[in-house]
């Protein structure tokens, strides 16, 4: 099972996280196969090799939006979403996520919460009641889960 488009030399952060989350849920619902487990490991390694947000070739931030937290994430990638995936998958923290964890820690506000940087709430069945630039209960929940997992 390949995580990239047939003619593509690389995957993307956005498609990789979507596939990883989908495969994890499929495994939970139906069970795993060696092919599914290998595809997940391949996608996880793709993200880890890049420290969850850097270009592999230069080490530079691949996209500044990866350092901003959105909810609901929909098909958009950010480091909080990636870290929450690794936590949810039950993986042991890897040293290569250190910079991404630092990003999450550094974004915590003085009141202990995290802000909503972007809202991808188009076509939601109901409003989720948070405003961009304001504290987000969803981002705070995800950030606290990630930090507890890392401890």
């Amino acid at each position: 099972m390949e995580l990239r488009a047939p003619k593509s030399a690389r995957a993307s952060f956005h498609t990789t996280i979507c596939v990883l989350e989908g495969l994890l849920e499929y495994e939970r619902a139906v069970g795993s196969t060696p092919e599914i487990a290998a595809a997940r490991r391949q996608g996880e390694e793709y993200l880890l090799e890049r420290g969850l947000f850097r270009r592999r070739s230069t080490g530079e931030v691949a996209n500044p939006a990866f350092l901003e937290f959105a909810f609901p994430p929909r098909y958009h990638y950010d480091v909080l979403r990636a870290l929450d995936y690794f936590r949810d998958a039950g993986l042991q923290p890897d040293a290569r996520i250190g910079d991404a964890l630092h990003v999450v820690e550094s974004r915590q506000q003085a009141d202990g919460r995290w802000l909503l940087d972007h809202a991808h709430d188009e076509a939601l069945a109901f409003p989720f009641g948070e405003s961009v630039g304001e504290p987000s209960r969803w981002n705070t929940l995800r950030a606290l889960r990630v930090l507890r997992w890392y401890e």
Side-chain angles (χ1 to χ4, degrees):
M1 182 174 284
E2 188 67 33
L3 290 180
R4 58 185 129 248
K7 295 185 182 203
S8 175
R10 308 189 170 78
S12 79
F13 287 87
H14 300 291
T15 57
T16 299
I17 196 65
C18 290
V19 170
L20 285 172
E21 290 168 344
L23 289 173
L24 180 61
E25 291 306 319
Y26 180 86
E27 283 180 303
R28 288 177 174 161
V30 178
S32 190
T33 66
E35 295 82 10
I36 292 171
R40 274 194 45 222
R41 282 191 304 276
Q42 179 186 3
E44 291 160 1
E45 189 60 27
Y46 173 90
L47 296 177
L48 289 169
E49 285 176 347
R50 291 155 178 80
L52 305 189
F53 66 93
R54 298 185 182 282
R55 293 187 188 283
R56 187 173 171 199
S57 58
T58 65
E60 297 296 318
V61 174
N63 183 336
F66 294 170
L67 307 179
E68 298 177 345
F69 307 148
F71 196 85
R74 309 217 12 128
Y75 54 86
H76 300 278
Y77 178 89
D78 64 54
V79 296
L80 181 55
R81 181 178 181 182
L83 287 164
D84 202 32
Y85 163 81
F86 280 93
R87 178 207 57 82
D88 190 35
L91 300 172
Q92 291 297 314
D94 184 294
R96 296 173 286 180
I97 67 170
D99 286 347
L101 277 165
H102 177 70
V103 169
V104 172
E105 291 170 332
S106 72
R107 303 291 311 282
Q108 187 175 21
Q109 302 299 296
D111 66 1
R113 297 183 292 178
W114 280 259
L115 301 179
L116 179 66
D117 296 317
H118 297 285
H120 305 295
D121 57 358
E122 62 277 1
L124 287 181
F126 59 91
F128 70 101
E130 295 189 355
S131 300
V132 171
E134 296 295 322
S136 166
R137 64 181 162 247
W138 297 109
N139 284 345
T140 298
L141 170 67
R142 295 185 307 146
L144 290 172
R145 288 190 310 201
V146 163
L147 295 176
R148 286 187 190 128
W149 163 74
Y150 186 71
E151 294 171 354

